[in-house]
Structure formats: structure tokens, C-alpha cells
Amino acid sequence: MVRSAILLSMTALTLAACQPAAEDGATAPTHKTYDAKAFFDTTAVSMSDATPFAFSPDGANLLLATDKSGVYNAAALPIAGGDPVALTNSTTNAVFAISYFPADDRVLVSSDGGGDELAHIYVREADGSLKDLTPGDKHRAQFVGWSGDAKTFWLATNERNPQMFDLYAYDATTFARKLVFENSDYSVTAVSPDGKWLALTKENSSADSDVYLADLSKPARQTPALITPNDAVIAYGAYDFTPDSRQLVYSTDEFGEYTQAWTYDLASKEKKELLKADWDVMFVTYSPTGKYRVSGVNQDASTKLTILDQTSGNPVAVTGLPTGDINNVRFNRDESKIAFTVASDTSPADVFVANLATGAAARLTKNLNPAIDEQMLVDGEVVRYKSFDGLDIPAILFKPKGASADAKVPAVVDVHGGPGGQNRKGYAAMYQHLVNHGIAVLRVNNRGSSGYGKSFYHMDDKKHGEVDLDDVVYGKKYLQSLDWVQGDKIAIMGGSYGGYMVAAALAFRPEEFTAGVNIFGVTNWVRTLESIPPWWGAQRISLFDELGDPSKEKERLTRISPLFHADKITKPMLVIQGANDPRVLQVESDEIVAGARKKNVPVEYIVFPDEGHGFLRKENRITASNAYLAFLNQHLKGIAPPEGAYASPAAPVAPAAPAAPAQ
């Protein structure tokens, strides 16, 4: 199913005055509150993209990226235990790990220029130096995969045409490259391990897409073959090729509300059902030889993962794990071990390694800040409430410790990005920070969200800022029905498309919410849709289909754009923006702030000079989270903000440069 994505965080402890009784009658631990730094002094990890080359050739290390230093950098995590060893030491731009080389400790990494999304691919040589494999300005590159014989890897770049990604084959020894597919109208998805086939997708509308195959033995400029011919509105996509290069595993919503996994035999062209569930199948991958198949299902905002032993037909049972979602499964070279992450609402993703012969798992990281008592954090509860038309709206509710009918708390309704995103279970420092300080959070999945079937997903098409906003308002009404919530102290917050919903709520429903936190939200749809980054290519069609073509529907897009109605905003607003954001330009936030301030509305504004669409630097995430709490405390609890709570950081001393991440 196609999903639009415009847009798609010294510990101070204080003791709370309450000491709630435990359910068994015993006295519960005294509640502790922590500052933002404590929540962000957890360590976030990002696993290598490549299987089996997430493991070093000798199997001793696992490649990942970690923000332990404050900026994401590539690192080698010893399988036998111990701290990650830094492979890059950037202090400016985030560096993400991609893959080890097959026979040595060189690695592929990616890095952009301070969040501008113009990522380049680099080789980190044995001596620690970086070589840019995709040099130049104004273009971006992405890793596609390794060949089965590990002699070739594929990168895609839009250097020839900003709107299209061409595919290049790189020699793993010399880095000599060859153009193997010149793109005209497609999204590059996967290359078969034998290097013969390229899977491509093409979006026809927000509900309709197709899968194509290009024969890479033919000239680079060719017409791919359509393998999903139909006369209906069906969303097809491609997951991956099987390791033997005989089949393509693809997705389809042809047979019901949810996305299923099917196979396409490259020789016979026969199609067969592979996997279906009462939820969307999110991904299907394989171990190097294909002995194991890994699949994930989006089950009510959580990932349910299965590792299937295709020899026995039985799922692999892994023991010794804490409660949480398993993700990011990576196999070592001989398929004797897997590495993966486990995450929950109260603990960030930790890395584990398991022996496939025994299923026994060992924990390699403990990424929750040890200064935080995990008992002080809150599990989110999946709830559903009725909207204006009786539709059930899914949401995740976080209830602060000690909240009760006798100790009511204020609340905030959180709206995800997208517009077709999804609020999901998992550790989120910014929300745990708010809940820890006595602010309830309802993370809504309004109509138009992914994960609840294609009908639900398309219910807000060209009704944005209208029916989806109604769902959010009814989220507020749901909170007001809870006897432990202060019904007259409810704010709204969100990022990206969620930030748009904040501005829309304040402009179009000015009496509904007490205050709003707008995190890089769209405020002028006409300008945003006209300034879509060129590399979106075919996705532009899907986005225009869902939201509207600014050249044809300017009147409606103007009507739903908060900027043109800023004079109606009466409630306080906090706006936070990255100066390098290529998706929601800073001018969007500049103008809504100016428009609201003309009416003397209390508006606070923070700009991060070294961030893009989403904040990657830990210090900036801490600054933002402190500002969220200060603002909500000020307007929901009447607590004066600390001095400097809303100050924008100074520009970094070392300017971000996309040509080479700092070492």
C-alpha cells in the first residue's frame, strides 16, 4: 500500500509529593521526575542496512550507528561484549552505517549536510579516512544492495536528473562504476543477488501503484516490463528478491483491506500468496542462503516479527529477552547467529545477539540511562474512541503515575507526521519526559493513518484539515471523558504534518485547545507542494492525488492553510524549526509566527541552525524537549518558564558540509 510521507529525541532528580498505593496494597516507590537530559542521555542505535554484511568478516563485530557522542556516528559493537568502537567521529553531521565490505573491515557509511537530506555514500577506509563515492553538489545518493558474490554493490543517485535516481554498479575493489539503469519514471527498490533484475515501483495515485522489472543485461536506457497489469485501483510494492534470484517478493492490497506478501517467479511469471494477516505485512527479508525468512506485521501500532526456519517450517524461538518488539534482524555470514534490537515504551532499542542453534540471546547494550528507574516510566495503552461520525479512532494513551480523580492532570493530544504516518508503540524520550512531569499524552491515529486498512487510510483524501482535524478534536473530547484528566487544560502538539494539524487546530478551531506546540509544521500548502524536493519524483503524483495539485486546486489548499487564517489564532503557540529543512521550509514557520504575533498572541519560536526535517543532534533534542515541557507547564499549569527556555541556539562553529563528514 502506498504511503505518502512529506514530511516521514548532569541528571537532575526531584521527588514528587505523591506516593500512590500499589495495587496489592503495598506502598509504591516514590515517584521520581527527571529532566530532559536524563531522557536523552539514553543512547539511540541505528543498525546497518546490509545483510549479511552487518557483521564484520571475522564475525566479531556488528556495524551500527550510535548517538552516544551527541551526534550519530558509525561504530563497531563487539559481539563478545563491550562498548562500541567509534569508526567515525563527526561532531557536525550525522553519519549512518550501511555495510561492512565482504573480506575486510572497510565500511560504507552515509552522511548529509546538517539535515539537508543530500546524503552521499562514503567508504571508510582501514586507516579511518573517508572517500566520497558520490561526489558533487545538489544531489543525493542511496545504497541499494550487494551482489550475491559480493564483488559488486549498487548505489542510486539523482545527479543526472534531480527527479530520478539512476542505478550504478560499483566494483567493490576499485570503486569503478557503471550506469546500469537510466531512470525515467520509477522508484528504485531492489536488485536481484545475481545482478540480472532490478525491481521498480511506479505510483499512479495515492491508492494505485505498480511493480516493474528491468533486465540489467540490457542497455541502461530501456523500458521496464510491467508485472502487475490490472484495470483496478491496487497498491503494489516490492519487498525484495529471494537469495536464489528466482523470485521477487512483492506487496499487494488487491485481496482485502491489508497489504499481503506474494511471490513472482522470474522464469514462469507465476504469482503465489506468501503471507497474509489481519494487518499489513510490513517487510519480508531472508538470511544469506534463504534458510530463514524474516517477516514483520504491523499489528495495532506494534511490529510482530517472525523468523521462520524454511527447512523445518517452524518459527525460531529466541529466549532470554525482555518484553518488547523485536526489529532489525541481521544474520552473520554462516547463519549461525542473528543480531536484532528489542524496544518498548519504557526502554529504547537495545541490541541482542542470539545463537540460532539454541535460541539463547545475549544482551549487548543497555541504552536506557542508568540514572532513570524504568519503574518511573509509563507503558502506553492502545485505546479507541468514537469520532464525530462514530468511526473508531485508534490511539496510544500515556497516563502519568499518580493521576487519579483526586489528582487530575493536564493533557496533550499528539498528532503524527505524514500525512499518512502512524503513531506507534516504542520509547519516545520527549513524551516520556512530559508524562514523567505529570502531563498525559494521547497519541492519536486519525483517519488517514497507515496501519488500519486501505479504506481508513484514504478517508481523509482531499479532506485534510477537516475530517482528520475532527478526529483530533474528538481525541480531546475522549480525554475530557476520563475522570483523571483536567478537561479545561488540554493542548495539541505534533511534528511535520502533525505540526500542520496544530496550526490548523489553533486557526480553525481556536476555542478547542488551551495551547499548541507546532514542530516544523506546514502552514502554506500551496508553497509546500510547489517546493517538494525534486528527488521525490513519482511520489509527487501520489501526494498531489491525496492533497491536491496546487496549480489546479489553489483555492482549496489556501482555505486549509493556517497561514492565511493566522488572524484567527488566539491561543499560545510554540514553534520549533530546523533551518536546513528541505521539506517544510523555514519560511513556513517564520510567517505563521509573524502572523500570530500581529494579533499579540503569545508565540515562542526556536530555530535550530544545524538541523533539517527532524532533529539528529542530541543537544538540540534536549533543548526542544525542555522547551516543550516549559511551554506546556506555563500554559497548562501556570508555572513560569525558566530563563532562556525559548532561546534559539547559535549557529555551529564548524559549518555543516555535505562533501565530507568531519572526522
Side-chain angles (χ1 to χ4, degrees):
M1 189 182 299
V2 175
R3 294 289 181 258
S4 296
I6 282 192
L7 312 162
L8 157 17
S9 232
M10 182 120 247
T11 302
L13 308 183
T14 59
L15 299 183
C18 59
Q19 192 170 5
E23 292 182 4
D24 61 2
T27 300
T30 300
H31 182 60
K32 300 175 184 177
T33 58
Y34 306 88
D35 66 3
K37 186 175 185 298
F39 286 97
F40 285 96
D41 272 347
T42 56
T43 299
V45 294
S46 170
M47 295 279 275
S48 160
D49 286 343
T51 296
F53 301 143
F55 283 81
S56 58
D58 61 5
N61 295 297
L62 180 69
L63 183 63
L64 47 72
T66 170
D67 70 347
K68 189 173 183 63
S69 69
V71 177
Y72 276 101
N73 273 284
L77 179 66
I79 298 302
D83 293 333
V85 177
L87 299 177
T88 61
N89 295 286
S90 177
T91 59
T92 53
N93 303 329
V95 182
F96 291 99
I98 297 175
S99 173
Y100 274 110
F101 274 68
D104 56 66
D105 285 339
R106 290 177 301 161
V107 297
L108 292 172
V109 299
S110 69
S111 183
D112 71 0
D116 65 5
E117 300 186 15
L118 298 178
H120 286 215
I121 308 298
Y122 302 82
V123 174
R124 192 265 190 188
E125 301 281 10
D127 62 3
S129 63
L130 292 178
K131 176 182 177 63
D132 190 350
L133 298 179
T134 53
D137 299 325
K138 307 296 184 183
H139 68 263
R140 61 184 267 148
Q142 58 195 39
F143 175 76
V144 180
W146 280 94
S147 63
D149 62 11
K151 294 179 180 180
T152 301
F153 59 89
W154 293 283
L155 304 180
T157 86
N158 64 341
E159 61 195 75
R160 179 187 60 86
N161 178 349
Q163 296 184 6
M164 294 295 158
F165 284 85
D166 297 330
L167 184 70
Y168 291 85
Y170 279 72
D171 184 285
T173 301
T174 66
F175 305 135
R177 72 174 190 172
K178 176 184 178 182
L179 177 64
V180 293
F181 180 74
E182 186 175 293
N183 201 354
S184 60
D185 204 22
Y186 310 92
S187 297
V188 172
T189 303
V191 181
S192 59
D194 64 5
K196 183 175 181 181
W197 299 102
L198 169 63
L200 303 155
T201 57
K202 181 179 180 182
E203 298 187 16
N204 307 310
S205 74
S206 64
D208 185 60
S209 54
D210 285 304
V211 177
Y212 293 76
L213 283 176
D215 184 343
L216 296 184
S217 65
K218 294 181 178 180
R221 184 175 295 180
Q222 60 174 282
T223 301
L226 174 66
I227 66 168
T228 55
N230 67 89
D231 295 320
V233 177
I234 302 170
Y236 292 101
Y239 294 119
D240 206 351
F241 290 90
T242 54
D244 60 10
S245 297
R246 293 180 179 179
Q247 295 179 326
L248 172 68
V249 184
Y250 68 95
S251 64
T252 176
D253 65 3
E254 179 179 359
F255 304 102
E257 282 293 315
Y258 297 100
T259 300
Q260 301 177 2
W262 282 59
T263 58
Y264 175 85
D265 188 279
L266 296 169
S268 69
K269 302 183 180 180
E270 181 182 10
K271 298 174 183 177
K272 288 184 178 180
E273 178 188 297
L274 178 67
L275 183 63
K276 67 177 180 179
D278 291 331
W279 301 94
D280 286 333
V281 177
M282 301 170 68
F283 57 83
V284 177
T285 61
Y286 294 88
S287 64
T289 67
K291 178 181 179 181
Y292 299 97
R293 187 186 78 205
V294 182
S295 58
V297 172
N298 184 0
Q299 185 171 314
D300 216 4
S302 290
T303 301
K304 299 304 177 185
L305 184 136
T306 301
I307 305 172
L308 181 69
D309 184 333
Q310 298 203 104
T311 302
S312 67
N314 297 319
V316 173
V318 180
T319 60
L321 299 179
T323 301
D325 284 357
I326 300 175
N327 271 299
N328 303 304
V329 175
R330 302 289 186 262
F331 291 84
N332 68 348
R333 311 289 174 102
D334 64 8
E335 299 181 341
S336 63
K337 293 183 176 69
I338 52 171
F340 52 91
T341 59
V342 179
S344 68
D345 288 340
T346 60
S347 178
D350 276 305
V351 180
F352 290 75
V353 64
N355 185 311
L356 285 171
T358 65
R363 187 175 202 149
L364 300 183
T365 64
K366 180 65 175 176
N367 286 330
L368 181 65
N369 183 351
I372 292 180
D373 179 354
E374 194 171 344
Q375 294 184 80
M376 299 299 106
L377 306 188
V378 174
D379 274 311
E381 177 189 2
V382 175
V383 300
R384 281 171 169 75
Y385 63 86
K386 297 291 184 184
S387 191
F388 67 96
D389 56 358
L391 181 68
D392 281 333
I393 303 299
I396 304 170
L397 177 65
F398 292 85
K399 179 181 180 180
K401 301 279 188 181
S404 69
D406 296 324
K408 296 178 186 290
V409 296
V412 63
V413 177
D414 170 69
V415 190
H416 61 66
Q422 182 187 31
N423 274 325
R424 295 174 54 80
K425 297 271 284 176
Y427 182 80
M430 61 184 281
Y431 299 111
Q432 287 289 351
H433 183 214
L434 296 179
V435 177
N436 180 246
H437 283 262
I439 299 174
V441 177
L442 181 71
R443 306 194 67 197
V444 302
N445 282 312
N446 50 273
R447 71 190 69 200
S449 302
S450 299
Y452 304 98
K454 60 185 179 183
S455 296
F456 190 89
Y457 176 72
H458 290 290
M459 280 183 175
D460 69 340
D461 286 359
K462 296 191 177 179
K463 299 176 184 177
H464 299 286
E466 299 168 338
V467 294
D468 51 358
L469 183 53
D470 286 330
D471 294 341
V472 173
V473 169
Y474 271 74
K476 184 205 76 168
K477 296 180 186 297
Y478 166 73
L479 285 170
Q480 290 174 318
S481 74
L482 304 176
D483 65 5
W484 50 269
V485 171
Q486 289 179 274
D488 61 343
K489 299 293 182 182
I490 300 176
I492 180 173
M493 72 183 298
S496 193
Y497 184 80
Y500 159 68
M501 293 290 277
V502 171
L506 297 183
F508 305 137
R509 312 290 175 88
E511 300 308 314
E512 291 290 353
F513 294 95
T514 307
V517 178
N518 167 5
I519 308 166
F520 46 82
V522 176
T523 61
N524 179 351
W525 279 113
V526 176
R527 177 172 52 213
T528 294
L529 292 171
E530 288 176 343
S531 62
I532 291 172
W535 58 82
W536 280 41
Q539 295 178 17
R540 184 188 189 96
I541 298 172
S542 174
L543 195 58
F544 281 14
D545 184 67
E546 182 174 349
L547 280 158
D549 185 335
S551 68
K552 300 175 182 178
E553 300 175 73
K554 184 175 181 178
E555 182 179 353
R556 188 185 67 81
L557 291 170
T558 300
R559 176 169 54 81
I560 67 169
S561 295
L563 176 61
F564 304 108
H565 310 275
D567 60 324
K568 298 182 177 65
I569 296 176
T570 61
K571 299 298 176 63
M573 179 169 59
L574 169 64
V575 180
I576 300 190
Q577 176 73 40
N580 300 326
D581 194 333
R583 302 186 181 214
V584 179
L585 305 178
Q586 183 182 328
V587 67
E588 296 278 310
S589 294
D590 291 345
E591 291 182 353
I592 195 71
V593 167
R597 283 177 174 170
K598 282 183 180 179
K599 293 291 185 178
N600 296 317
V601 174
V603 179
E604 308 295 345
Y605 189 26
I606 298 174
V607 177
F608 292 116
D610 49 0
E611 296 283 11
H613 197 71
F615 308 143
L616 293 177
R617 295 174 65 89
K618 189 177 290 188
E619 62 185 301
N620 291 338
R621 283 177 271 157
I622 293 169
T623 297
S625 199
N626 277 325
Y628 305 147
L629 180 62
F631 181 82
L632 294 172
N633 274 342
Q634 179 181 358
H635 297 289
L636 299 182
K637 296 182 179 182
I639 300 173
E643 186 176 351
Y646 308 126
S648 293
V653 175
Q663 287 299 293

